Amino acid sequence: MKENILKEKRLRITPFRKEVLQIFIENEHAISTQDIERSLGEHDRITLYRTIKSFINKGVIHEIVMPGDVKKMALCDPVCSHDDGLHEHNHIHFQCKKCEEVYCVEVDKLPNVKLHDFEIDEMEIQARGTCKACLKM
Amino acid sequence: MKENILKEKRLRITPFRKEVLQIFIENEHAISTQDIERSLGEHDRITLYRTIKSFINKGVIHEIVMPGDVKKMALCDPVCSHDDGLHEHNHIHFQCKKCEEVYCVEVDKLPNVKLHDFEIDEMEIQARGTCKACLKM
DNA sequence: TATACAAATGCAACAATATTGCAAGTATGA
DNA sequence: TCATACTTGCAATATTGTTGCATTTGTATA
């Protein structure tokens, strides 16, 4: 529930934040700033930028950057309770080549990658292919 | 050699392009547009943007977008001979948490990931940790 | 080697996206 | 309910990238 998410992340509950959060909840896939602007009615763009920034910093949403300049955002997993922009997820980011939508897809466990001279702490996977909905068509 | 790379990718050899390409060759790690601008002397910003765009389209360099950071670019693998912005690499993108630099690191083979309802064609891995140089310190 | 032509450059104007400072309004804990 | 720190909304400004167009330049070809 919207109020709870905001409260948990120690963000003040304001009408605007609830409105923006609602848009994220309604969307199964990741959305861009533009998508949000379209969904909102009349609004102040600066406030939106700041809202997005605090949502990211407090772990409400996370940024997804896919190759080719697509910057989108999606709700964080409930486990992602880290403050200060440190996010912890167990999913990969998937972009469908047909519908272009970006999804966060759960995986049981992320694969292990070893490098020779580099020590890996965290890993993020971005995949492209065909999504659930488009496979059925 | 600079001229060869440009010729192979069917790009005209101009002084400006050689200069920009040289900057990529000199850098072991990925660089941003800003980095390039700093390395160049007096120059035209528009021409640089167009140069970058044709380098990407012809497979001379590729873009790397790490979460929460500026866009960077690095030379493509020699195998990456695809035109029209289709890139094919066998490396992962690694950002060091200490020095913040981004590297393309070769791997023998990329791990296999299977998803339930999504069909994966291509995959890209972004990792964070400690780089070669910083491990030694 | 000269030349014709497509490609690249450089300038001006413009467009989109994001940030900062500040005054006014508002949520929340005491 | 009140004080205060947080949030909002506006103006101004910064950053990043694009388009159109006249001029210059690289390169294939005669």
Side-chain angles (χ1 to χ4, degrees):
Chain A
M1 197 230 195
K2 294 192 287 294
E3 274 84 354
N4 288 344
I5 295 180
L6 292 173
K7 196 168 274 180
E8 262 172 36
K9 309 288 177 166
R10 270 168 286 152
L11 281 164
R12 285 198 176 170
I13 298 160
T14 69
F16 189 74
R17 285 181 175 166
K18 284 200 285 184
E19 220 180 322
V20 174
L21 188 49
Q22 182 60 36
I23 296 171
F24 279 104
I25 292 172
E26 279 165 3
N27 278 280
E28 201 197 343
H29 48 71
I31 54 180
S32 65
T33 307
Q34 279 190 9
D35 293 332
I36 301 172
E37 297 217 59
R38 269 192 293 272
S39 295
L40 287 170
E42 186 88 357
H43 69 281
D44 183 62
R45 238 154 43 89
I46 292 107
T47 304
L48 177 57
Y49 285 131
R50 284 195 270 226
T51 301
I52 289 173
K53 193 170 276 186
S54 42
F55 277 14
I56 292 176
N57 284 337
K58 298 289 181 166
V60 179
I61 61 174
H62 62 286
E63 256 186 303
I64 306 168
V65 258
M66 298 297 287
D69 270 351
V70 206
K71 191 156 110 183
K72 303 213 173 190
M73 293 156 294
L75 285 178
C76 286
D77 304 339
V79 290
C80 178
S81 51
H82 291 258
D83 271 61
D84 292 327
L86 269 168
H87 294 263
E88 204 150 303
H89 296 127
N90 217 40
H91 62 242
I92 75 166
H93 292 137
F94 183 96
Q95 181 169 41
C96 180
K97 285 180 178 175
K98 288 193 182 169
C99 66
E100 301 265 295
E101 294 295 358
V102 175
Y103 295 87
C104 299
V105 187
E106 292 299 322
V107 286
D108 300 333
K109 75 167 184 34
L110 291 174
N112 235 13
V113 180
K114 277 258 165 63
L115 300 179
H116 294 298
D117 305 312
F118 296 79
E119 200 176 278
I120 295 181
D121 294 340
E122 314 149 16
M123 225 178 62
E124 199 170 296
I125 296 184
Q126 302 177 337
R128 283 165 49 79
T130 314
C131 79
K132 199 163 47 175
C134 290
L135 273 175
K136 286 186 191 136
M137 301 200 311
Chain B
M1 196 229 193
K2 293 191 291 292
E3 273 85 354
N4 289 345
I5 294 180
L6 291 173
K7 195 169 272 180
E8 263 172 35
K9 309 287 180 166
R10 270 168 286 152
L11 281 165
R12 287 197 176 171
I13 298 160
T14 69
F16 189 73
R17 284 181 176 167
K18 284 200 284 184
E19 220 179 321
V20 174
L21 188 49
Q22 182 59 36
I23 295 170
F24 278 103
I25 293 172
E26 280 166 2
N27 277 281
E28 203 198 342
H29 48 72
I31 54 179
S32 66
T33 307
Q34 280 190 8
D35 294 331
I36 301 172
E37 297 217 59
R38 269 193 293 272
S39 295
L40 287 170
E42 186 88 356
H43 68 281
D44 184 62
R45 234 158 40 87
I46 293 106
T47 305
L48 176 58
Y49 284 127
R50 284 194 272 226
T51 301
I52 288 173
K53 192 170 276 185
S54 42
F55 277 13
I56 292 174
N57 285 335
K58 298 289 182 166
V60 179
I61 60 174
H62 63 286
E63 261 185 299
I64 307 167
V65 260
M66 299 296 287
D69 201 37
V70 274
K71 200 165 56 177
K72 302 210 172 190
M73 294 156 293
L75 284 178
C76 286
D77 302 340
V79 292
C80 177
S81 51
H82 290 259
D83 272 59
D84 293 328
L86 270 168
H87 294 264
E88 204 150 303
H89 296 128
N90 217 41
H91 62 242
I92 75 165
H93 292 137
F94 183 97
Q95 182 168 40
C96 180
K97 284 179 178 176
K98 287 192 183 170
C99 66
E100 300 265 294
E101 294 296 359
V102 174
Y103 294 86
C104 299
V105 187
E106 293 299 321
V107 286
D108 301 332
K109 76 169 186 28
L110 292 173
N112 234 12
V113 180
K114 277 258 165 62
L115 300 178
H116 293 298
D117 305 313
F118 296 79
E119 202 176 275
I120 295 181
D121 295 340
E122 314 149 15
M123 225 177 63
E124 198 170 296
I125 296 184
Q126 302 177 338
R128 281 165 52 78
T130 315
C131 79
K132 201 164 43 175
C134 290
L135 273 175
K136 285 184 194 139
M137 305 197 312

